Structure formats: C-alpha cells, structure tokens
Amino acid sequence: MSVFPSRLIDLVFPGDTNHHGTLFGGAGLALMDRIAFIAATRHGRVPFVTASCDRVDFQAPARVGEMVELCARVLRVGRKSMSVEVEMTAEDLLSGERRLCTRGGFNMVAVPESKGPDWRLPPLCDTADAPHDGLITSDIVFADQASSSCRMFGGEALAVMTKAAFVAATRHGRRITVLAASERVDFRAPVPVGAIVDTVATIVAVGRTSMTVAVDLWSEDLMSGARKLTAHGRFVMVAVDDRDRPVPVVPHEMLDNRS
C-alpha cells in the first residue's frame, strides 16, 4: 500500500490562542516541526532531529475555531541531512475560505543507528500522492496518549477518529456538526508509542440532517515503514444551528443555486 501524503490537520482551540483569539506562533511552529519530522522520517527511515529552521514567514493568523492544514515537502536531500518545506493554511470550516498563514523551511539531520560510514540518505525522487476522495491526516503517537504498556489508549484513538469525522462532515455541508452516534468500532491492532498514524475519513451516506463518516486509522512503523489497519469505525454526524437544533446538511441557498 502506498504511503499517504505528509499532511497534518488540526483544529484551533482556545487553549492554543492568545488574547486576540489567534493561534500562538510557537504552537504553529510545533505543528510545522512535527509534520517536517514525519516527512523526513518517511523519506529516510532513520531517526531524525531538527538542526535548524530557515526563514519562517507568518503571513496571516489562524483564528480560534478554524482548521489548520500543514503540508510538508522534501526539497533537498544531502548525505545525512535534508530540507523540508512546510506550509500551514487556515480554513474557515463554515465558509470554506482558505488562506496561507505560514511557510518555513526545516533542516533535518539523520542520526542513524548501526549504519556504516558510507551510508547516505536515499536520493530525492518525484512522487505523486495517491488520489483519495476523503480526508487524510497524519500524526505521531506520544507517550501521554499511551498506557503503561506504551500502546495508544483506545479513547485517544477514538478522539483522533471523531475529530477527522467532524472535519470531513463540516467540510461537506459547511454546517456546524455534532457527533450523534458512534456505530461499531473495531480495534484490530495496537498502536505503539512513536508510530505514525494516518486517519482517513470518508463520507459514506448523507441524509437530510445527518452524515455517516467511515474512518480508518492506519499505523506506520517509523523505521521499517510497515503499515497496518489498526481501527475502523463509522460515526453519525448531525448538522445543527446556533441553538443546537438539527438543520438540513445542504443549506437552502445552495440547493437553489444547484437548480
């Protein structure tokens, strides 16, 4: 199976913002460094550390309640280092308006273990992302998300999966959506600390006020690249107004424009 693109999607919550209601620069940099690490590791399949950051331009703010999408691309590969460009784009989930917030470069250095003196990183090659109709986001499992056995808590996996379902459903109807029900969720394999997790969310059914989102959670070993489907679930999301009353998924004005 092909590796999904190195893209991290998150929501801006009040705890990550300043008194103006915009994302802290440091919080944005932390997300950028995380996706740069994922992109570098997927290319080299060895441990990496961040050596430096090139110029980082903050062009526009990301506001509380918006979604931020971070995309990483490997630009240059040396013998034991590489340059990764990261862009962070904010999106208003209700209007669909998108704007580039930040662009920066991260220089990542490989720290391979048990490699000979002649070892070097694989060369840069052109790769194309496999097309997919759903939402795909990547992240890493950290120790605070795991049990004493160093495996991801089931509740943490559910949180990641429902967040993806929320973003996919809200993007589909451009309405506020809430979780109405969780259908069967199967946990097929444990996810160890340090693994990359890819969450793939796809709208599989649309009713008048509800949407059913199928979500797959994939885990990927950092060093070997071995991948497995670790969880699968279906979530029912309902579109609501500002009083939490169910409303049509597709607004009437959009229906009129389509007729």
Side-chain angles (χ1 to χ4, degrees), residues 126-243:
D126 293 331
T127 58
D129 294 342
H132 193 278
D133 294 333
L135 176 141
I136 303 172
T137 179
S138 303
D139 210 338
I140 301 175
V141 178
F142 293 104
D144 62 353
Q145 297 173 290
S147 66
S148 57
S149 62
C150 296
R151 294 178 176 181
M152 189 179 193
F153 280 120
E156 291 286 346
L158 286 171
V160 170
M161 295 170 75
T162 54
K163 183 188 291 186
F166 166 80
V167 173
T170 307
R171 267 184 164 179
H172 179 85
R174 297 300 177 187
R175 293 283 202 182
I176 299 171
T177 61
V178 295
L179 178 64
S182 170
E183 297 181 357
R184 180 184 177 94
V185 178
D186 291 307
F187 296 96
R188 303 183 179 184
V191 184
V193 170
I196 295 172
V197 287
D198 287 315
T199 313
V200 185
T202 308
I203 305 288
V204 295
V206 178
R208 180 176 176 273
T209 64
S210 66
M211 293 157 280
T212 301
V213 187
V215 181
D216 289 334
L217 186 69
W218 292 82
S219 65
E220 177 181 327
D221 183 83
L222 280 174
M223 299 300 101
S224 70
R227 298 172 58 80
K228 62 179 67 174
L229 179 62
T230 57
H232 172 79
R234 290 163 62 97
F235 303 90
V236 179
M237 310 297 296
V238 172
V240 297
D241 60 16
D242 55 4
R243 296 184 180 180

